[in-house]
Amino acid sequence: MKSSLVYRFSGVVRSIIQLLILGFVMTVLAHGGEPVREIRHSPDKKYLVAWFDQDVGEPLRDMRSVVLCASDDSAPLFSFVSNPRYTDAAWNASSNLCIIADAPDNGGPVIWLLRMNEKGDWQPEVLDPFASLSKEFYDIPDRASLFRPSLLKIEWLSETKVRFRGYCNLGTYFMTVDTTMPGKAAEVEKLSDKLLRE
């Protein structure tokens, strides 16, 4: 009984968030402009990823909503709410794969791979290109700090390979992920021992 109520409550909360996002995106698509920070259209112009900030009042204050929707329909196909810090999105050339990076300063990035399936639905997967670097960092004896990864850039090298440029406690790196094997560790190339932030 209790788990059933919790499930229903979480469904209501999800529905409220989706309605808020839907209403806001409809307004933005109808009128254009503020307060959307960024929009990333797919190459075929059929889809877009948008993010925007809202002050939702105390105690939460500023929140960032991120949404994937069709260009001609503002109903969210994928969405989440985060903090208004670094966000980025990049599409592959065929518009059937999209990377969305949500990288709050204090906890490291969450990187979503959104994949369109045969039915035209978008399936989310979480990628961790920093996984092997995190293991390397925590294998250091007597480490005195927490692993702090941060993302600088996303670029598609091909239809299925995506490269991230990022830095962590160990330096600055390229990390390349083959999206046909999302569970496989990223190929890592060290660029510098410095924490380059450009």
Side-chain angles (χ1 to χ4, degrees):
M1 178 76 170
K2 188 175 180 182
S3 63
S4 173
L5 288 173
V6 170
Y7 178 77
R8 280 191 220 144
F9 179 74
S10 65
V12 169
V13 170
R14 266 196 313 274
S15 296
I16 290 170
I17 290 171
Q18 288 180 341
L19 284 172
L20 288 171
I21 291 172
L22 174 62
F24 186 83
V25 172
M26 286 176 68
T27 302
V28 167
L29 292 177
H31 303 293
E34 298 298 328
V36 169
R37 285 187 179 270
E38 295 286 342
I39 295 178
R40 299 279 193 276
H41 291 278
S42 59
D44 64 7
K45 305 297 183 195
K46 292 181 180 178
Y47 298 94
L48 61 86
V49 175
W51 55 94
F52 50 90
D53 296 343
Q54 292 175 291
D55 183 346
V56 296
E58 295 294 346
L60 299 175
R61 301 299 305 165
D62 291 337
M63 302 290 286
R64 174 165 294 171
S65 298
V66 182
V67 60
L68 164 71
C69 61
S71 296
D72 61 354
D73 182 359
S74 57
L77 302 171
F78 172 79
S79 63
F80 63 89
V81 177
S82 185
N83 297 313
R85 296 186 180 121
Y86 176 83
T87 303
D88 201 2
W91 294 88
N92 73 345
S94 296
S95 303
N96 63 357
L97 293 171
C98 182
I99 296 288
I100 302 177
D102 174 43
D105 302 343
N106 59 352
V110 176
I111 300 169
W112 298 94
L113 169 64
L114 296 169
R115 184 189 310 270
M116 184 188 284
N117 65 20
E118 298 80 23
K119 296 178 181 178
D121 297 324
W122 289 92
Q123 301 296 315
E125 304 166 35
V126 176
L127 298 181
D128 185 3
F130 289 97
S132 62
L133 295 171
S134 174
K135 182 179 182 323
E136 180 182 340
F137 176 77
Y138 284 116
D139 284 345
I140 297 170
D142 302 321
R143 55 175 165 65
S145 60
L146 295 173
F147 184 66
R148 296 290 187 191
S150 196
L151 206 57
L152 296 168
K153 188 176 180 182
I154 307 166
E155 63 180 327
W156 285 92
L157 302 178
S158 70
E159 285 296 295
T160 59
K161 281 196 173 183
V162 60
R163 183 169 71 184
F164 302 93
R165 182 174 180 173
Y167 61 90
C168 63
N169 314 56
L170 302 172
T172 302
Y173 294 84
F174 278 144
M175 297 155 290
T176 303
V177 173
D178 184 344
T179 61
T180 63
M181 299 181 287
K184 184 182 175 187
E187 296 174 22
V188 175
E189 176 189 349
K190 190 164 194 174
L191 302 175
S192 171
D193 287 327
K194 298 178 181 177
L195 305 184
L196 300 180
R197 298 170 191 260
E198 71 264 20

